[in-house]
Amino acid sequence: ARINVYANNLTIQGPGAVGDASTFIPYLMFGSDNPGVTSGLRLVLYGTNPTLRNLAITGEAGNTLVSAQAAARLTLDRAIISGSDPVGAPSAATSLRADNATITNSIIRREGGNSFSAALDATGTLTGSLVYSSASRAISLDGAFHQPGACELTVRNTIAWGGGKNLWLEGGAAPCWVVGIDYDYSWIPLTASAQTGGGLANMGGSILNPGPHNLAELPAAVDPGNPGATILPANSPAINAGCTGGCGTYDYYGRPRPIGFANDIGPYEATLIPEIADGSASNVTATTAQLSAVVNPNGGQTTYNFQIRRTGASEWETVSGATLPADTNSFVPVTAEANLLEPETAYQVRIVAINSAGELAADVLAFRTLAAPTPDPEPTPDPEPSASLSVSSVKLKVGKKGAYFTSRATVNTAGSLAQTATSGSGKKTRTRCRTMTTARAAGTYSLKCNLGSKGRRYLKKRSLALRVKTTLRAATGGSATDTRKVTVKRKR
């Protein structure tokens, strides 16, 4: 099928929510294109100022998958255009052809094709993008296909490479007797090799103007062993090598740029390991303390936990934690409340933060609790009702990276609730998790005991028998305890 669009100022876009590599992108898909079809055009934009944003267009085309006519002045932002050959012999087709286009944070691909095929043949500006061809031209500027006055392409912060020519310049004919490409802060190898792709073809009547900030051809900015990958490998020299200004304020996923001290070259900002700083303890009493710090997710969805231990102890206990979203690359204040502490005791606190780039465990502070206050003599109070506690709704959850169980504790008075899960017995008793909360009045409270990544690794090998002890330390009226056995079955 062929779609002709004549509307002016038309925007076609998908949801604009910030995401990551798992984010769904709405697709406009074209099926097989018969090689005998005369035009082989699939989506043709005739109206002025069309915008394609936050979507993917894919399919076969014997001529051009997406074509923006001379007066269109296409804007392409956070989009994928991926063209392939029709059934039969490779064709001389293009994935995207446009004049005076503005292309940002996008991916233009061409699979198959012959030496006359191209992923992109356009004039205008190309910024923060990836252009890849498996066997044909990546960026082509053929003057025979463009209009007078639209004979130049400015490229910034972009990767262009593939199995065919990385750059193809061809002037010397009407309407563009001279064509020109100006590029900087980019990786567009001009020498052909297995690591750098097809190199340069300069057919005359053309001007190639490289700026001073382009990456060297080697080492490769991409993974040559995985040519279809679009996300930079962790050791890519393109990370933090792009523009520091004027090259976009967000990446293909909508995350703020830069993540790090400069933009990454290409459409994606690489997620970095989280950063942690500025820990402090406030409102310290004999048994409680308010903990705070700042965490930088560095562009990836990040889970963090406050952990505490007595100074000199070997094991850490989790106080609380939460998850920070992927669209954050600046420091965010985080807090937690530690209770059930011992009076006049020194404690250490650390934060463990994990995202897709890795894990960081940082010791952020140390403090000492106060002495227990001496109570004033008071008249003998009337007997208080005994504390009571019942635990129900114990539910187990085992995921790919962690495991935890939740329960609901019903109490008849205010106090401190603590839950500890141990395995083994005698000298081999081991604490698997501990959680605590404050019951501010009689009622039902939710508890979540996190077995963490160590517990998850244990469950990959064998079942785990736990002794779960829940204790209510009432503000008045003593304490109550519920103890039960829970077995978490092995799960790979």
Side-chain angles (χ1 to χ4, degrees):
R2 169 172 171 169
I3 301 175
N4 294 331
V5 180
Y6 295 94
N8 295 327
N9 303 310
L10 176 68
T11 297
I12 304 175
Q13 68 178 35
V18 173
D20 55 23
S22 64
T23 301
F24 174 77
I25 302 296
Y27 269 78
L28 175 61
M29 303 179 70
F30 291 93
S32 299
D33 188 10
N34 189 332
V37 174
T38 302
S39 69
L41 298 167
R42 310 315 295 274
L43 175 62
V44 186
L45 303 168
Y46 290 97
T48 58
N49 303 316
T51 297
L52 304 178
R53 179 180 290 120
N54 304 347
L55 78 162
I57 301 175
T58 183
E60 296 178 358
N63 185 311
T64 305
L65 180 60
V66 178
S67 175
Q69 298 303 297
R73 294 184 176 272
L74 170 69
T75 295
L76 190 74
D77 182 45
R78 294 177 64 187
I80 300 174
I81 295 181
S82 181
S84 59
D85 292 331
V87 176
S91 63
T94 303
S95 296
L96 172 62
R97 178 169 287 150
D99 278 341
N100 297 312
T102 301
I103 303 170
T104 55
N105 307 314
S106 294
I107 302 163
I108 317 296
R109 298 171 56 89
R110 174 69 186 166
E111 298 293 343
N114 58 29
S115 61
F116 296 99
S117 301
L120 174 68
D121 196 331
T123 62
T125 60
L126 174 65
T127 306
S129 296
L130 169 71
V131 184
Y132 171 79
S133 66
S134 63
S136 56
R137 311 171 189 174
I139 295 177
S140 176
L141 188 52
D142 189 335
F145 294 107
H146 297 284
Q147 299 299 312
C151 305
E152 297 181 356
L153 177 66
T154 299
V155 181
R156 294 290 184 271
N157 220 69
T158 291
I159 292 172
W161 84 299
K165 296 299 181 183
N166 301 336
L167 273 184
W168 182 288
L169 288 84
E170 185 172 357
C176 289
W177 291 93
V178 178
V179 296
I181 290 182
D182 178 290
Y183 72 104
D184 202 4
Y185 290 99
S186 296
W187 187 70
I188 310 176
L190 305 182
T191 304
S193 74
Q195 290 76 38
T196 60
L200 168 70
N202 191 329
M203 308 302 293
S206 60
I207 299 172
L208 183 63
N209 182 28
H213 310 100
N214 292 300
L215 284 183
E217 297 190 2
L218 290 173
V222 296
D223 180 2
N226 187 14
T230 53
I231 297 177
L232 296 173
N235 61 348
S236 172
I239 295 175
N240 290 330
C243 309
T244 56
C247 286
T249 57
Y250 54 87
D251 74 351
Y252 174 80
Y253 292 133
R255 300 174 302 173
R257 279 186 152 174
I259 299 172
F261 57 82
N263 289 344
D264 297 346
I265 296 176
Y268 301 111
E269 285 289 298
T271 297
L272 305 178
I273 293 176
E275 298 176 84
I276 301 167
D278 297 340
S280 64
S282 60
N283 300 325
V284 178
T285 70
T287 58
T288 64
Q290 186 73 27
L291 311 176
S292 64
V294 291
V295 176
N296 185 354
N298 269 328
Q301 180 173 294
T302 297
T303 299
Y304 70 89
N305 287 288
F306 281 87
Q307 297 183 346
I308 192 169
R309 69 180 178 185
R310 292 181 181 86
T311 300
S314 59
E315 293 192 2
W316 295 89
E317 297 179 356
T318 297
V319 177
S320 69
T323 298
L324 299 174
D327 63 341
T328 306
N329 60 2
S330 58
F331 281 103
V332 176
V334 294
T335 61
E337 182 180 348
N339 51 30
L340 296 180
L341 306 177
E342 298 294 331
E344 296 185 277
T345 303
Y347 286 93
Q348 295 171 295
V349 177
R350 73 175 185 180
I351 295 179
V352 178
I354 305 172
N355 65 18
S356 60
E359 175 179 333
L360 177 66
D363 294 347
V364 294
L365 66 102
F367 69 94
R368 186 178 180 86
T369 53
L370 304 179
T374 302
D376 296 330
E378 296 180 358
T380 302
D382 295 332
E384 295 288 343
S386 298
S388 67
L389 163 70
S390 63
V391 178
S392 62
S393 301
V394 177
K395 295 181 180 180
L396 306 175
K397 176 68 176 179
V398 180
K400 291 184 179 181
K401 296 183 179 180
Y404 63 87
F405 61 89
T406 59
S407 57
R408 294 173 66 81
T410 301
V411 300
N412 69 336
T413 185
S416 296
L417 270 171
Q419 189 174 76
T420 304
T422 60
S423 62
S425 60
K427 294 183 178 180
K428 295 185 178 181
T429 298
R430 182 174 180 181
T431 300
R432 293 290 180 176
C433 68
R434 182 180 180 185
T435 187
M436 60 189 87
T437 190
T438 299
R440 303 192 182 280
T444 300
Y445 297 84
S446 296
L447 297 170
K448 179 179 178 181
C449 211
N450 192 346
L451 299 175
S453 57
K454 290 183 180 179
R456 184 64 185 93
R457 290 194 293 271
Y458 186 97
L459 289 172
K460 289 182 179 181
K461 300 178 181 178
R462 60 185 68 87
S463 297
L464 181 60
L466 298 173
R467 181 173 178 268
V468 180
K469 182 179 179 181
T470 308
T471 300
L472 167 65
R473 185 180 295 174
T476 58
S479 62
T481 299
D482 178 281
T483 302
R484 60 183 62 208
K485 295 181 179 179
V486 176
T487 298
V488 184
K489 294 182 178 180
R490 176 187 178 187
K491 185 172 181 181
R492 294 182 179 275

